[in-house]
Amino acid sequence: MVQRIVNELQQKNPQILLNAVMTQELEYDTYTYSTLPNLLGQKGFDLVELDTLMLGDAVDNHLILPASPAISTSNFWQVDLEASTYKNQLYGFPSLLSIRFS
């Protein structure tokens, strides 16, 4: 799955070099509140896929910024966009697995 995501992203965006990592190491645990500042901070990753269960905590602790309104959301299912929204503001985009392919 990880390799497919990397391949598809690289094919559509050759200017982006993506190094995707899937790990179970505790220091990268996105379900532990204490690790989020390290993962999402200035010395953290450029892109982190968070479970939307963690969205409110990440927003309330100023760990993420709202998504750009210039980015089209038309290829996502409505329920996925709602899960990526907190206090009426879109903060992320659903994973590649929830994109509607037309």
Side-chain angles (χ1 to χ4, degrees):
M1 178 182 81
V2 174
Q3 191 59 49
R4 177 182 174 196
I5 291 171
V6 170
N7 290 343
E8 288 182 15
L9 186 129
Q10 297 275 196
Q11 183 179 16
K12 293 177 183 177
N13 305 280
Q15 74 281 12
I16 297 174
L17 176 61
L18 178 64
N19 179 24
V21 177
M22 183 178 267
T23 182
Q24 292 184 358
E25 293 180 39
L26 293 178
E27 68 182 300
Y28 301 113
D29 182 8
T30 58
Y31 288 96
T32 302
Y33 294 113
S34 61
T35 61
L36 290 181
N38 291 332
L39 296 173
L40 302 174
Q42 288 192 2
K43 294 183 181 181
F45 294 102
D46 294 327
L47 177 69
V48 175
E49 184 168 351
L50 289 178
D51 189 314
T52 55
L53 294 172
M54 306 303 283
L55 181 61
D57 188 68
V59 171
D60 291 343
N61 287 288
H62 310 285
L63 298 173
I64 61 174
L65 296 172
S68 169
I71 297 174
S72 173
T73 58
S74 62
N75 284 333
F76 295 105
W77 295 103
Q78 185 61 34
V79 68
D80 294 325
L81 290 172
E82 290 171 10
S84 300
T85 300
Y86 182 69
K87 296 182 180 177
N88 297 316
Q89 177 68 53
L90 184 66
Y91 281 91
F93 297 95
S95 74
L96 181 63
L97 299 175
S98 65
I99 296 175
R100 289 185 312 197
F101 293 102
S102 312

